[in-house]
Amino acid sequence: MVLSIGTNKIKTAVFISGTGSNLKSLIKFSKLNKSPISINLIITNNKFAKGLKYGTIFKIKKKIINFKNKDIAEKKILKELKKNKIELICLAGFMKILSKNFIKNFTGKILNIHPSLLPKYKGLNTHKRAIENKDKYSGCSVHFVNAKLDSGKTILQKKVKILKKDTTDSLAKKVLAQEHKLYPKAISKIFSL
Ligand code: GRF
């Protein structure tokens, strides 16, 4: 990885669209001494995103970006990232697909968390598909983001057993609890060299 840890932590932006429970876990992790990152900016496409409250609670700058025009939206985001000297982007439940052009500006510096054992179940409704296919395990993956959806190199995965009694909701809950541990672990892993 190109980034290195100096005396300062790696300035990170987290992109969210909803609840922001992964954002919360990343903020908590960032406060630890051993964390290589600090969270300096929260970006959302959704002004109603519940996760925005963590920006208020932890005094982190928030930016709401209207995605009606993706090209303009991405230009605005890039400007914000530059202004805040952001070096790493963590997507955490961000429901917009970033363009190739945008990603080019941050090659190898955008991470995502996905609620399946990639390469299985890219895209949406991962838990429903895992249950319908009678899979024995589901789980979550943290991966680098490239131009293809949910297809960049995997950093870490965590398996979760699917029980007979599991519903989409109960499985989502179990996987989410693991996501909260896996994202910080994956970040530690890529910066531990
Ligand atoms: C998580 O399951 C994440 O893997 C997926 O969207 C969900 C976001 O949850 N991409 P939260 O907003 O972090 O609570």
Side-chain angles (χ1 to χ4, degrees):
M1 182 108 206
V2 221
L3 297 171
S4 64
I5 313 169
T7 42
N8 295 319
K9 292 189 175 187
I10 294 155
K11 287 193 170 58
T12 302
V14 182
F15 288 25
I16 63 165
S17 297
T19 318
S21 67
N22 277 292
L23 165 65
K24 184 183 171 199
S25 95
L26 288 176
I27 294 172
K28 292 211 154 155
F29 169 65
S30 73
K31 308 262 179 216
L32 304 175
N33 270 339
K34 65 169 188 188
S35 165
I37 63 162
S38 62
I39 301 198
N40 301 72
L41 182 63
I42 298 165
I43 299 269
T44 188
N45 63 304
N46 173 14
K47 64 179 174 189
F48 301 114
K50 284 194 183 146
L52 283 172
K53 72 175 179 215
Y54 298 115
T56 313
I57 295 170
F58 294 99
K59 298 191 172 50
I60 299 167
K61 198 166 168 186
K62 297 168 282 187
K63 211 78 211 173
I64 298 161
I65 306 281
N66 185 330
F67 258 74
K68 232 180 189 165
N69 180 320
K70 186 158 151 174
D71 197 43
I72 295 175
E74 290 188 339
K75 281 196 177 114
K76 277 189 189 156
I77 295 178
L78 281 173
K79 217 169 121 191
E80 276 307 313
L81 297 174
K82 220 175 175 183
K83 200 166 98 190
N84 291 281
K85 300 192 165 55
I86 297 298
E87 301 158 281
L88 179 74
I89 296 171
C90 290
L91 307 182
F94 185 62
M95 299 306 283
K96 293 287 172 190
I97 297 172
L98 296 166
S99 73
K100 223 192 232 169
N101 235 337
F102 179 93
I103 294 168
K104 255 201 289 186
N105 288 278
F106 276 83
T107 307
K109 296 171 188 174
I110 309 179
L111 312 179
N112 183 39
I113 185 143
H114 185 74
S116 80
L117 296 172
L118 289 171
K120 262 193 158 178
Y121 311 130
K122 296 172 184 174
L124 298 175
N125 302 319
T126 55
H127 305 303
K128 186 168 177 271
R129 287 189 278 161
I131 289 175
E132 279 173 2
N133 285 337
K134 301 198 183 336
D135 289 355
K136 288 206 168 73
Y137 290 93
S138 184
C140 44
S141 310
V142 177
H143 64 94
F144 288 106
V145 170
N146 65 13
K148 264 179 130 191
L149 183 68
D150 300 327
S151 297
K153 188 170 183 274
T154 295
I155 301 159
L156 272 185
Q157 291 186 314
K158 176 75 184 175
K159 267 188 182 177
V160 172
K161 202 166 185 323
I162 303 178
L163 305 175
K164 277 224 175 76
K165 60 171 187 192
D166 268 326
T167 60
T168 307
D169 280 355
S170 70
L171 181 58
K173 256 190 204 153
K174 284 197 288 188
V175 172
L176 195 59
Q178 293 306 320
E179 291 182 35
H180 299 155
K181 298 181 198 165
L182 192 72
Y183 217 158
K185 241 181 159 179
I187 291 171
S188 296
K189 184 182 170 193
I190 56 177
F191 295 115
S192 69
L193 299 174

